[in-house]
Amino acid sequence: EGATVQIGNHVGISGATIYSLQSITIEDYVNIGANSKIIDHDFHPLEPKARKLDRRDHIRKEAILIKENAFIGTDSVILRGTVIGKNSIVGANSVVKGHFPDNCIIAGNPAKIVRHLSEEELNK
């Protein structure tokens, strides 16, 4: 209730899971690989007592923004509070949390910037 999922134009999604309790925005021309997961919350409270009492009001939630023309590799997990910059690439099997700039390649667990795309790569 109250969550929003906004998906832009010309977005390709191959059997991914998008699960929102707050806000997920996917801009135009984004491609999302098979089995990827985009989740803007922690599913359950982190505090043991809150889990026992099923305190859904204790679940941490933060908006996700995937900017224009980003590519999310297969089996990646995009966690709450993440921003993926325009034209950026997320390597397969990455676990992504944080703010990443435009025009970079992100990979790993936890994901980090592997390199920035060159002007030549951006203009191909």
Side-chain angles (χ1 to χ4, degrees):
E1 186 176 319
T4 62
V5 175
Q6 296 178 329
I7 299 175
N9 296 309
H10 308 286
V11 171
I13 302 173
S14 300
T17 300
I18 300 171
Y19 192 8
S20 178
L21 289 181
Q22 182 154 339
S23 171
I24 297 173
T25 302
I26 300 168
E27 293 184 347
D28 297 342
Y29 298 99
V30 169
N31 288 301
I32 301 170
N35 302 316
S36 293
K37 293 164 184 56
I38 302 170
I39 307 162
D40 70 357
H41 60 283
D42 288 341
F43 280 100
H44 302 285
L46 297 181
E47 302 83 9
K49 188 172 182 177
R51 282 196 308 272
K52 277 185 175 179
L53 300 173
D54 195 26
R55 294 288 309 267
R56 298 188 62 78
D57 58 321
H58 283 228
I59 296 172
R60 294 181 189 182
K61 301 172 259 184
E62 293 178 72
I64 292 174
L65 172 59
I66 302 173
K67 293 184 180 180
E68 181 179 340
N69 203 38
F71 176 80
I72 311 299
T74 190
D75 289 314
S76 292
V77 179
I78 312 301
L79 298 172
R80 65 178 170 82
T82 295
V83 175
I84 297 173
K86 180 178 175 181
N87 301 319
S88 289
I89 299 166
V90 174
N93 295 301
S94 295
V95 178
V96 184
K97 180 158 179 37
H99 290 228
F100 297 91
D102 296 347
N103 310 317
C104 68
I105 299 175
I106 306 157
N109 180 5
K112 62 181 181 178
I113 296 173
V114 174
R115 71 180 177 88
H116 294 273
L117 297 171
S118 68
E119 284 299 318
E120 181 181 327
E121 290 170 312
L122 291 170
N123 292 317
K124 282 187 177 181

